Amino acid sequence: QSTYVPGSIFKVVTTAAALDCVPDILDKTFTCYGAYEYGTEKVTCEKAHGTLTLKTALANSCNCAFAQITVSLGQDTMVEYVKKYGFLDAQSLDGIATAAGSYPTEFVGDPELAWSGIGQSTDLVCPYSLLRYVSAIANGGTLCEPRLVMSGTETAKTQLMEADTADKLKQMMSYNVVSHYGSDRFPGLNICAKTGTAELGDGTSHAWFAGFLDDEAHPYAFVVLVERGGGGLTNAGA
């Protein structure tokens, strides 16, 4: 029932918009020198990642690559997708109200737009809305509306995203774990996930870890948020 700065966890949303709207996005490359300049201002990255594809940009959580991707999409498209996926709406879990999120809907220009696609700027996300989103990715784009296990209510289904988009996101989130997070961190679990370290501007950050098990016998999605918990993988991932 609260909202939080999402940080890099939000890049999964930007990735979905890019997959749908940027022709040949999977064939494009982006260069990270550790900073991406907009006039006298710049978006910074933790290190220079070099040349990246969308897949490796997500795995490395590269701010510079996602700054370029967000600007190429434009603010109108980003707002369209944030609304489409329900991040600006208050949801309901069997009658329990959840908080509506926030995203800059009025013109902000660069580099503020770039930061918004990275999950900073004025972005705020309710963990429940993020849970609905990653659940849909796991389920081929179809959202089975969450409900309390003992509620007895029927599960409502909606097509939140295209099946092809969901499948590509699923593959990328699996690659994140295998190539960067380390499958040995999660023994016996086939996890598809994304981390987030959301900077709060006061030297602290929220730690996020969200995703799902790619396992028909255990079809679980999850969102872990540690308020002011530091590193996403180190703390929320653990």
Side-chain angles (χ1 to χ4, degrees):
Q1 293 176 301
S2 294
T3 56
Y4 303 86
V5 180
S8 291
I9 204 80
F10 194 80
K11 290 170 182 169
V12 184
V13 179
T14 305
T15 299
L19 286 169
D20 282 356
C21 301
V22 180
D24 303 322
I25 184 65
L26 295 178
D27 298 323
K28 292 181 180 294
T29 58
F30 308 91
T31 303
C32 171
Y33 298 106
Y36 191 74
E37 296 186 359
Y38 293 93
T40 58
E41 301 182 67
K42 59 186 177 182
V43 169
T44 56
C45 216
E46 62 177 356
K47 65 178 182 179
H49 291 112
T51 301
L52 301 165
T53 63
L54 178 63
K55 179 179 178 179
T56 56
L58 185 65
N60 284 279
S61 206
C62 178
N63 287 348
C64 293
F66 273 89
Q68 297 168 62
I69 292 166
T70 304
V71 170
S72 71
L73 286 167
Q75 188 168 358
D76 289 346
T77 297
M78 286 299 301
V79 171
E80 176 189 346
Y81 274 78
V82 171
K83 287 181 176 178
K84 174 182 177 180
Y85 295 141
F87 286 102
L88 299 187
D89 298 329
Q91 310 294 341
S92 176
L93 172 61
D94 281 348
I96 302 170
T98 66
S102 174
Y103 186 84
T105 56
E106 300 298 325
F107 177 76
V108 289
D110 304 329
E112 193 69 15
L113 172 60
W115 281 116
S116 72
I118 293 167
Q120 295 291 156
S121 184
T122 58
D123 298 12
L124 292 172
V125 166
C126 176
Y128 183 76
S129 294
L130 182 60
L131 179 63
R132 295 170 78 251
Y133 180 69
V134 295
S135 296
I137 296 172
N139 202 38
T142 300
L143 170 64
C144 294
E145 199 70 51
R147 59 183 177 82
L148 298 178
V149 174
M150 298 297 292
S151 69
T153 57
E154 185 176 346
T155 300
K157 295 184 179 182
T158 54
Q159 194 69 27
L160 196 68
M161 66 182 69
E162 295 296 325
D164 183 61
T165 301
D167 183 61
K168 287 172 180 164
L169 285 169
K170 182 178 182 178
Q171 293 177 39
M172 290 182 186
M173 293 170 75
S174 175
Y175 179 78
N176 290 348
V177 176
V178 173
S179 67
H180 282 72
Y181 307 161
S183 299
D184 56 343
R185 288 178 179 265
F186 316 103
L189 300 176
N190 189 12
I191 285 184
C192 303
K194 178 70 182 81
T195 61
T197 303
E199 298 177 5
L200 304 181
D202 59 2
T204 66
S205 57
H206 295 322
W208 291 87
F209 192 64
F212 50 89
L213 299 186
D214 186 11
D215 181 352
E216 289 185 6
H218 306 93
Y220 304 130
F222 58 86
V223 171
V224 181
L225 166 66
V226 184
E227 295 183 47
R228 299 182 184 276
L233 179 60
T234 304
N235 298 313

